[in-house]
Amino acid sequence: MAASANKPISLPSPSPGYGEQRMDRLSLTFSALADPTRRAILARLSSGPASVNELAAPFSMSLPAVSKHLKVLERAQLIARGKEAQWRPCAIKAAPLKEATDWMEQYRQFWEARFDRLDEYLKELQAQEKPARATAASSSKKHGKRK
């Protein structure tokens, strides 16, 4: 292996203050994002605030069912529900999504480094294999052997 491939790679260490509260929030975020209906609701809210009726329109489910999805998103702090007269608009909150993205980014960097090391190792193996094949091919020609 190349010299750079011998360097150990470790997962990022938690930052100071990293603890249960952040993990709970991450767990809530990922749990909320696990449902395709909630992801669709967030996608709609990314273009601006909407009422429950507007959010429910594309789905073949009852308003109470959509409200349950909104409660999950609200508990995960992925949306905020306002109050304007009779209208209760929902709006997306980006902070939990940013935290989830930052958390995943640490692991993306880790796996990219691992794949880079694997790529270096495979290239090294291929380079070692070429001379061996050339030697085997020339030796069979000398002895009149065919493949």
Side-chain angles (χ1 to χ4, degrees):
M1 256 192 237
S4 63
N6 292 330
K7 292 179 185 174
I9 296 177
S10 61
L11 288 173
S13 58
S15 58
Y18 188 92
E20 265 183 56
Q21 182 182 6
R22 179 148 182 221
M23 284 306 293
D24 286 345
R25 186 156 160 170
L26 278 173
S27 296
L28 285 171
T29 298
F30 285 121
S31 178
L33 294 174
D35 185 274
T37 301
R38 292 192 286 267
R39 290 192 305 269
I41 290 170
L42 287 174
R44 164 54 187 88
L45 290 174
S46 69
S47 64
S51 69
V52 175
N53 287 333
E54 291 170 328
L55 293 172
F59 305 106
S60 57
M61 63 177 71
S62 67
L63 282 177
V66 172
S67 289
K68 284 183 180 181
H69 284 292
L70 293 174
K71 285 178 186 171
V72 171
L73 292 169
E74 194 172 17
R75 188 171 46 248
Q77 298 178 8
L78 290 165
I79 66 167
R81 295 175 93 173
K83 198 166 198 172
E84 295 176 18
Q86 298 295 321
W87 192 54
R88 292 203 58 194
C90 298
I92 195 166
K93 290 173 67 178
L97 294 171
K98 171 88 170 87
E99 287 177 13
T101 301
D102 292 346
W103 182 82
M104 288 185 291
E105 176 65 20
Q106 296 172 351
Y107 293 92
R108 184 190 63 78
Q109 291 172 358
F110 167 77
W111 283 108
E112 280 186 0
R114 294 293 295 259
F115 288 133
D116 289 346
R117 284 177 57 187
L118 177 61
D119 189 45
E120 288 176 26
Y121 179 68
L122 292 174
K123 285 178 182 175
E124 193 173 298
L125 285 178
Q126 288 172 343
Q128 291 171 1
E129 194 176 276
K130 283 181 184 176
R133 281 186 182 172
T135 304
S138 67
S139 122
S140 27
K141 284 182 185 175
K142 287 180 186 176
H143 299 292
K145 295 180 183 175
R146 290 187 171 187
K147 286 189 175 184

